[in-house]
Amino acid sequence: MFMKILKSSLPALALLCSLSISPSAGASVLTIDNFTHVQTAIDRGNTVGSPTTVNHLTGTDLTNASRTFSAVASGTTYANKEEIASGGNVLKITNGGTSAGTASIVWNFDPINFTAHGNAILLEILSIDLGVQVEMIANGSSTSGVQSFSGPGSFWLGFDEFSNPAAFSNVNSFRLNFSGPAAWDGQFRVLATSFPVPLPPAFWLMGSVLLGGLGIPRRSTR
């Protein structure tokens, strides 16, 4: 009886498996930045020390990539510090105790089709203070709007959540704008594209209905 039920369920199982893996079939992660290239930008309320730019960026799958760090502290005293730094596979952003400034990163590179490598942006968060926000911008105009972090972990943002998703078929610049309250800190590990967005619950519901319908033998009527 069990084998008979299993045999009748195989078509539903095959369909459910194909639905679950088809979005990522043949996909390869595109690393925008793994933050191994050392760079720092610091701004204080009474000094100017930002931005900084590195050309020939390493730790990226992008071609001819450059990266610009910008830090803008709030306030006008030396203690009002804003710093953004990378190296050792970590990006660190720090506000001074009396600063509620902003920090940004801009990558410029040869045009590339992001949709060939994924359907979302991944930002891995090692640590973060609550209240920190990020805005992502592709090609200088397609914006994600301001997004909030709930804590450490993998932060995914689908291309379809940007104001112009079509921009991801031909991208030549990408930007992150960070903001937050005074004395906030954040550490990040990698920025990439991949296929993270799970299938809608409707797919799994449909699969379970198929399994239920095919897996339960019907009584024959006489």
Side-chain angles (χ1 to χ4, degrees):
M1 178 64 70
F2 173 77
M3 292 304 297
K4 193 173 182 180
I5 294 174
L6 180 61
K7 185 177 180 180
S8 65
S9 301
L10 286 177
L13 286 170
L15 176 59
L16 187 58
C17 289
S18 66
L19 289 173
S20 65
I21 66 174
S22 59
S24 58
S28 60
V29 173
L30 176 76
T31 300
I32 300 173
D33 202 336
N34 66 11
F35 304 116
T36 56
H37 199 129
V38 176
Q39 184 181 0
T40 302
I42 301 175
D43 183 62
R44 293 184 180 273
N46 64 346
T47 62
V48 178
S50 174
T52 64
T53 299
V54 296
N55 296 306
H56 310 294
L57 180 68
T58 60
T60 179
D61 291 329
L62 303 172
T63 304
N64 294 325
S66 65
R67 184 180 68 190
T68 299
F69 281 178
S70 297
V72 179
S74 64
T76 58
T77 66
Y78 186 78
N80 299 125
K81 177 184 176 182
E82 180 78 19
E83 180 177 0
I84 178 171
S86 70
N89 201 217
V90 177
L91 173 73
K92 299 178 181 180
I93 303 175
T94 304
N95 258 331
T98 56
S99 175
T102 61
S104 66
I105 311 173
V106 179
W107 293 266
N108 290 289
F109 42 87
D110 289 351
I112 186 172
N113 181 5
F114 274 19
T115 64
H117 303 275
N119 62 3
I121 300 295
L122 163 66
L123 181 62
E124 292 190 9
I125 305 169
L126 299 178
S127 63
I128 197 74
D129 288 337
L130 295 182
V132 178
Q133 298 176 322
V134 64
E135 179 188 20
M136 301 184 180
I137 305 173
N139 288 351
S141 60
S142 182
T143 176
S144 66
V146 176
Q147 305 289 322
S148 299
F149 299 114
S150 59
S154 295
F155 178 79
W156 297 99
L157 195 64
F159 296 163
D160 60 356
E161 298 181 63
F162 285 73
S163 59
N164 179 22
F168 287 96
S169 64
N170 188 31
V171 188
N172 57 32
S173 72
F174 197 75
R175 182 184 185 105
L176 298 182
N177 293 327
F178 292 97
S179 59
W184 71 264
D185 296 282
Q187 294 189 18
F188 310 88
R189 187 169 59 191
V190 67
L191 180 70
T193 68
S194 188
F195 284 94
V197 179
L199 288 168
F203 282 98
W204 298 108
L205 178 60
M206 181 175 67
S208 63
V209 169
L210 286 170
L211 287 174
L214 294 174
I216 301 174
R218 296 177 181 174
R219 294 176 178 269
S220 60
T221 58
R222 296 184 180 180

